Amino acid sequence: MAARNRILKELRGLEKETLDGINIELTDNIYVLFATISVDGNPLYKDQVYKVKFTITEEYPFTPPACMFVKDIDRGIVSIPIHPHIYTNGHICLDLLGTAWTPVHTIRSILLSLHSFLASNTRSERPPDDSSYFKHAPKNPKDTRFVYHDDTV
Amino acid sequence: MSDEEFEYTDDSDSLYSDSVDDDNFKIEDSLVKHDIVQYKQHTTREMMETLHKKCTKLSEVLGKPHDYVVTLLQSYKWNSEKLIEDYMDDPQDVELRLGLSTVKLNGEHHENTGLQTYTEEAPFSCFICCEDKLESYKLKCGHEFCLDCYRTYLNEKVKQANVIKCPSCDVALTPGDIDTISGTNGSSVLLENSIKEYVERHKTYKWCPSPDCNAIVEVLNSSDIAHLVDTNQIPIVICSNGHRFCFNCGFESHVPAPCNVTKQWINKCKDDSETVKWITTHTKTCPKCDTSIEKNGGCNHMTCRKCAYEFCWICLGTWDNHNNQYYQCNRYQYEQAEKNNKSAKDKKLQDEATKKSLQRYLHYYNLFNIHEISTKQDKSRCDVVENTVREVQEGVGISWIEAQFLVDSASTLLNARRVLKWSYAVAFYCDRGYSLDLFETVQAGLADAVEALSLLFEISDVEVIAKKKLNFLNASKLLEDRQRAMVLATEETINNGTLRL
Ligand SMILES: [Zn+2]
Ligand SMILES: [Zn+2]
Ligand SMILES: [Zn+2]
Ligand SMILES: [Zn+2]
């Protein structure tokens, strides 16, 4: 109940006040939503559109939504952004999505983090443990206990 | 009655004067030198008091309130040396970093903190749940959330943290805040988390590994442990609930197997677990009439309900053989394995060796596992032994003290079966030969005595139990003797170099 009210309010807010480079795409399920992100300011990601999937639980906002990059081949979104904190399978190593989450964070604050995550990145590489993680990764990124990599990048 | 049953009556008095544990000290003495491991038993409550005392002391040193020091120490994971060092260096920095500063970062100072109440006409609009509420809580940072949300937030955070901070900033909640919000002493959960952290950080402490036991053991001469383990002695300690465990391995008592044997055995079992899954099954079919039989007691003497065939659960051979040649199911049938391997003549030699070693392993694993399962069954029976004692008291009209033989026997059975179980791990790592033959003969004797006492516990009629008191006492006495012999035989095996790792 609490989750539903809160999500509705957040969605209304996102509709009223849009974010630069970010588009929200709703589904018929209030607990699943997508967003596309483009970061034109960074030559690494120029002319690219990326897609993020949010899966929200009843425990929201006390637990963070599961959030990962996905492909949408039909619409030409064929890649996962190359980033030292983003795995080939789309999972994201970001403390906000795990231990640093508190219920005052929002879908908006996650999107803003992801956007600046991409905008400020200068390294065209995958996480150091990408190949091993890829093989053993659980379906749900929240089932992974990330050791947060150096956040200075 | 046989002569044997009278043997025990003379010193039966000493049975009551010695506590169960004292008896078992003696039994495991040759491998477990109790005076070498000096330790203290702690309960979680006592640990909590210890931590509180630590706080009180530090609160005097720093001249700060108790609550404040609790949060400080929790943030520092109870490393008080580091805390004092940092605090003496720059108290403001420590306070700011931990969200304990009384000066708000932006200079604002919020007076009216704590529990807040509102009216229906002018309710509080909570950012987290987006609902209008009548009760809220405000910290000194000015951030305010409804009480329901705060409670859910605490429940979620308490699982992972020592210190809980404001959902919106770095200000830490004190134990007082937490207790007010939760309406109970919710902060004690945090303190329990702290105890976990404290015990895990300090090598001199260990949790009792027994499931559902929260007792803690503190070893006072921890520097001696490494030497004990190197010389094949087992640093056994006993928790305040009477569970014995190895302080080195943090695992149930594995007497007579030394720690290195135990570690290798456990790893081997883990690696080969798939191969032997079929063995762990609790049901077998009667070798005579194929009726499915479920084992529900600890004894290995099985009687088929349908055809009344009596057989041994371990080897499925007829029980008749087990009275005279009881060690038949104890000894790995080397010739048998040889025969089996001959049928695979065309295979490579290495294949044969692998197969042979797997068969050998399966043999010992099977025995080990059967006693593991039987231990669980014994345990559930021991859990109700107090009830049986009461029933025997009331049903037969004997005194409580006279009925205690059941409790003592149950404890003897559990300990002896554990020793038997671990002796199979020892046997697996022994070279074949005269020494192992001797070892396995002693082992077979122990197995026999274990089953004999286990069988007595199958009796449910209280009058029969009371009548069989002497049988219980004699069976226990025999079991203790044979357990002692097993420990000595293991020591001998280690000393003469039969044990190979
Ligand atoms: Zn609320
Ligand atoms: Zn705050
Ligand atoms: Zn215990
Ligand atoms: Zn050990």
Side-chain angles (χ1 to χ4, degrees), chain B residues 66-311:
Chain B
H66 190 270
D67 246 21
Y68 170 96
V69 173
V70 171
T71 312
L72 265 185
L73 270 169
Q74 280 173 335
S75 307
Y76 268 82
K77 306 193 162 154
W78 299 90
N79 186 343
S80 48
E81 292 81 25
K82 176 96 176 74
L83 167 62
I84 292 171
E85 197 186 308
D86 284 3
Y87 199 88
M88 292 307 168
D89 229 29
D90 188 350
Q92 258 95 33
D93 177 63
V94 172
E95 288 186 336
L96 220 55
R97 211 157 23 84
L98 303 182
L100 283 163
S101 178
T102 39
V103 192
K104 179 70 167 89
L105 294 162
N106 56 17
E108 274 178 68
H109 200 75
H110 292 269
E111 285 296 330
N112 185 25
T113 58
L115 219 53
Q116 315 284 316
T117 49
Y118 293 82
T119 59
E120 297 275 4
E121 294 73 42
F124 171 72
S125 171
C126 173
F127 177 82
I128 295 177
C129 59
C130 303
E131 282 168 31
D132 289 343
K133 292 292 178 72
L134 301 181
E135 282 180 308
S136 73
Y137 199 84
K138 185 156 91 177
L139 291 183
K140 55 176 177 273
C141 54
H143 294 127
E144 181 178 352
F145 302 99
C146 86
L147 219 49
D148 292 333
C149 283
Y150 241 130
R151 280 189 190 137
T152 316
Y153 174 68
L154 290 189
N155 283 338
E156 190 59 41
K157 284 289 169 191
V158 98
K159 291 179 208 154
Q160 20 169 330
N162 284 310
V163 178
I164 297 179
K165 294 188 168 179
C166 164
S168 209
C169 72
D170 271 340
V171 165
L173 276 76
T174 63
D177 290 325
I178 294 165
D179 290 346
T180 312
I181 293 166
S182 64
T184 59
N185 60 341
S187 62
S188 67
V189 179
L190 278 190
L191 212 55
E192 274 164 33
N193 288 356
S194 288
I195 294 172
K196 241 175 248 160
E197 190 119 33
Y198 190 84
V199 168
E200 269 139 40
R201 278 187 65 86
H202 292 81
K203 273 199 221 136
T204 50
Y205 290 92
K206 252 194 193 123
W207 291 100
C208 168
S210 183
D212 301 325
C213 181
N214 289 320
I216 297 155
V217 167
E218 177 188 9
V219 160
L220 306 172
N221 57 339
S222 62
S223 51
D224 297 342
I225 297 271
H227 174 73
L228 283 177
V229 171
D230 283 347
T231 52
N232 287 319
Q233 298 180 73
I234 310 164
I236 295 297
V237 293
I238 300 173
C239 88
S240 52
N241 291 325
H243 306 125
R244 59 187 64 229
F245 67 96
C246 169
F247 193 85
N248 177 53
C249 302
F251 197 73
E252 69 164 10
S253 165
H254 48 72
V255 172
C259 292
N260 51 2
V261 169
T262 305
K263 268 196 194 106
Q264 288 209 19
W265 177 254
I266 291 170
N267 285 337
K268 182 157 185 62
C269 293
K270 235 184 253 157
D271 293 346
D272 295 341
S273 64
E274 279 305 308
T275 333
V276 295
K277 227 176 199 164
W278 59 274
I279 292 172
T280 59
T281 175
H282 279 246
T283 53
K284 285 186 181 174
T285 50
C286 167
K288 214 165 186 186
C289 72
D290 273 346
T291 304
S292 176
I293 291 169
E294 194 170 345
K295 186 168 156 63
N296 51 22
C299 175
N300 288 321
H301 176 195
M302 305 304 290
T303 308
C304 174
R305 286 242 164 87
K306 205 173 162 200
C307 72
Y309 178 60
E310 290 179 59
F311 64 99

Side-chain angles (χ1 to χ4, degrees), chain A residues 44 81-86 121 123-128:
Chain A
L44 277 180
I82 306 267
H83 188 286
H85 290 175
I86 300 170
N121 180 34
R123 281 158 50 184
S124 177
E125 56 191 51
R126 289 285 178 209

